[in-house]
């Protein structure tokens, strides 16, 4: 076979691509640059042979996006490596580096004393794959489901599974968008399950769930909320509620009709106006910096309704995460355990052991 | 110090889409970069298109994590072309791939049991 007619253009494209490789850190370029150029010329040849000029235009389009994205990632790695830490450390130490501190995580859920099943669910993910951790951070989710015939169990399980899966698979530009989209995807799944039941003549069928999700990434906390599960942060001895409930009583507090303390005992306490399982859901997002020494608490209403903020603060402040979740749950059960109760406690500690 | 081979595959899950697809592409034997790219694109019907930067960024990461190694070059360079680097799965990479596939399978089963996805039992036919 003679050389393909586009040889001149191909040569030019290859030279241009080699120039673009200058966008990468030198060490990466030296290691993989020639392989990448080889792959580029293979892709170029195939694109132009199969689709002509249009194929080449598409290829360049993809390649530009690829260079920008992957060069940014390589520089991020490069600077982390230069920050004087050992890149070859395994497991927990890697994640400490990406997050810039260490996380001690404990989680627990309990059916309580009055309910037949536990419709709460929870998940804590600290990815050990370095790249994933760098890109997405650590994720914590708590959900409180409801529905007839144990479907609350299904709803909360769908929620945590989908949020977890979708969050780490999504490729939106930033963490808030990824988190928001993940929750919307979980909502969509539950909504479709509801619709399927309705279509099959089960018109009364209705399941749903609350959801709070928190991401820790590079000294920032991103908290998303639907319903009345909560995220709190303990900072220098003060416990603060980060998320705002979507409940009737929360609105009444806003309007000054009742005090925050009255929320816990109000007769309409469990009426919420936003939840997963509906056609369209709006996700509230709260972003704030976190520091070493801060502690995160995620919980369902089975906990915060029974314990005053001050009692939760005292427990979290004076015990480690594992003991904290045990004591929090034990206190809720002691107080009657009328509802399922769930807590995740995450302590942010300095990196060195 | 923990040895890479002793690590639990589950500790690396969930995998990023490029890493999962590269592992899959290498499941039936060693390949060079462009062959990996082609296979991934073909097998996903064009949905997953990796550029060279994403490909080698992932490969670099996977080498460090002990999922793949560079294979001994098996082919002679074609008329004066540069020698290509081939990659193959390690035992650990294989176990991680299996663990990820199992995790996805569990999810599919869950979705089926919740009737989010239609089931495809033996009578379903393809």
């Amino acid at each position: 076979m003679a050389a393909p007619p586009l040889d001149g253009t191909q040569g030019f494209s290859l030279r241009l691509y080699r120039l673009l490789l200058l966008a990468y850190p030198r060490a990466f370029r030296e290691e993989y640059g020639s392989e990448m150029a080889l792959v580029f010329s293979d892709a170029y040849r195939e694109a132009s042979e199969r689709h002509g000029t249009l194929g080449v235009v598409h290829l360049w389009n993809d390649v530009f996006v690829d260079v920008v994205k992957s060069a940014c990632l390589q520089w991020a790695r490069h600077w982390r490596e230069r920050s004087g830490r050992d890149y070859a450390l395994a497991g927990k130490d890697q994640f400490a580096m990406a997050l810039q501190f260490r996380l001690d995580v404990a989680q627990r859920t309990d059916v309580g004393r009055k309910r037949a099943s536990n419709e709460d669910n929870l998940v804590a993910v600290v990815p050990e794959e370095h790249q994933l951790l760098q890109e997405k951070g650590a994720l914590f989710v708590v959900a409180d489901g409801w529905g007839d015939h144990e479907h609350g169990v299904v709803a909360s399980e769908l929620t945590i599974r989908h949020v977890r899966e979708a969050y780490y698979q999504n490729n939106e530009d930033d963490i808030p968008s990824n988190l928001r989209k993940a929750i919307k995807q979980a909502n969509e799944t539950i909504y479709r399950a509801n619709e399927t039941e309705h279509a099959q003549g089960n018109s009364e069928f209705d399941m749903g769930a609350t959801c709070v999700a928190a991401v820790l990434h590079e000294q920032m906390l991103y908290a998303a909320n639907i319903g009345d599960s909560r995220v709190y942060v303990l900072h220098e001895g003060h416990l603060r509620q980060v998320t705002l409930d979507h409940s009737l009583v929360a609105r009444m507090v806003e309007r000054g009709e009742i005090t925050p303390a009255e929320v816990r005992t109000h007769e309409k306490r469990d009426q919420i106006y936003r939840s997963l399982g509906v056609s369209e859901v709006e996700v509230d997002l709260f972003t704030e910096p976190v520091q070493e020494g801060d502690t995160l608490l995620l919980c369902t209403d089975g906990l915060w309704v029974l314990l005053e903020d001050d009692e939760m603060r005292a427990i979290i402040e004076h015990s480690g995460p594992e003991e904290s979740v045990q004591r929090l749950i034990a206190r809720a059960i002691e107080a009657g355990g009328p509802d399922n109760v769930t807590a995740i406690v995450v302590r942010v500690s300095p990196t060195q052991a | 110090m923990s040895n890479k081979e002793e690590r639990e595959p589950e500790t690396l899950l969930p995998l990023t889409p490029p890493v999962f697809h590269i592992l899959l592409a290498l499941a039936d034997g060693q390949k060079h970069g462009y062959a990996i790219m082609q296979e991934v694109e073909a097998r996903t019907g064009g949905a997953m298109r990796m550029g060279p930067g994403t490909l080698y960024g992932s490969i670099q990461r996977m080498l460090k994590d002990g999922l793949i190694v560079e294979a001994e070059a098996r082919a002679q360079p074609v008329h004066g072309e540069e020698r290509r680097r081939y990659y193959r799965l390690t035992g650990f990479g294989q176990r991680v791939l299996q663990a990820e596939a199992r995790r996805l399978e569990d999810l599919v089963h869950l979705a089926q049991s919740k009737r989010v996805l239609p089931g495809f039992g033996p009578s379903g036919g393809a």
Side-chain angles (χ1 to χ4, degrees), chain B residues 52-66:
Chain B
T54 305
L55 176 70
Y56 283 97
S58 304
I59 283 178
Q60 179 194 40
R61 190 69 253 154
M62 293 164 77
L63 287 167
K64 277 188 178 160
D65 281 338

Side-chain angles (χ1 to χ4, degrees), chain A residues 302-317:
Chain A
L303 184 76
W304 67 256
V305 164
L306 296 171
L307 277 70
E308 300 285 340
D309 284 5
D310 206 46
E311 189 173 4
M312 295 197 283
R313 179 198 55 74
I315 291 175
I316 296 166
E317 195 179 4

Side-chain angles (χ1 to χ4, degrees), chain A residues 33-52:
Chain A
S34 61
E35 290 286 313
M36 287 163 70
L38 214 54
V39 165
F40 173 82
S41 32
D42 285 339
Y44 186 97
R45 196 173 308 127
E46 193 185 325
S48 82
E49 278 173 12
R50 289 177 57 181
H51 306 289

Side-chain angles (χ1 to χ4, degrees), chain A residues 31 46 62 66 128 165, chain B residues 11 34 49 53-54 85 103:
Chain A
E31 181 67 29
E46 193 185 325
D62 289 351
D66 177 62
E128 295 223 4
E165 284 303 308
Chain B
T11 58
Y34 187 57
R49 299 220 308 261
T54 305
R85 287 189 213 164
R103 187 183 67 85

Side-chain angles (χ1 to χ4, degrees), chain A residues 252-321:
Chain A
M252 291 167 78
V253 171
E254 250 172 65
R255 292 197 295 257
E257 293 166 13
I258 58 171
T259 67
E262 286 173 305
V263 162
R264 291 183 160 88
T265 52
H266 198 278
E267 57 172 356
K268 291 183 174 161
R269 200 216 40 85
D270 51 11
Q271 294 192 10
I272 63 174
Y273 58 85
R274 219 186 273 179
S275 65
L276 300 186
V278 297
S279 62
E280 192 66 44
V281 76
E282 194 188 333
V283 181
D284 286 348
L285 251 157
F286 307 84
T287 304
E288 53 182 75
V290 284
Q291 295 172 14
E292 289 175 7
D294 288 356
T295 304
L296 211 62
L297 166 68
L298 281 79
C299 62
T300 53
D301 64 340
L303 184 76
W304 67 256
V305 164
L306 296 171
L307 277 70
E308 300 285 340
D309 284 5
D310 206 46
E311 189 173 4
M312 295 197 283
R313 179 198 55 74
I315 291 175
I316 296 166
E317 195 179 4
H318 299 120
S319 333

Side-chain angles (χ1 to χ4, degrees), chain A residues 125 127 132-141 160-172 174-183 185 213-217 222, chain B residues 14:
Chain A
V125 189
L132 196 62
L133 184 65
Q134 274 185 354
E135 285 171 14
K136 301 287 182 68
L139 172 74
F140 309 96
V141 188
I160 59 138
R161 285 217 182 207
H162 275 267
V163 172
R164 174 201 177 140
E165 284 303 308
Y167 178 72
Y168 285 105
Q169 301 287 338
N170 284 347
N171 277 315
E172 300 292 307
D174 54 41
I175 286 174
S177 314
N178 263 323
L179 189 55
R180 197 174 256 133
K181 190 172 166 192
I183 294 175
Q185 285 165 314
V215 170
L216 282 173
H217 181 258
Y222 305 86

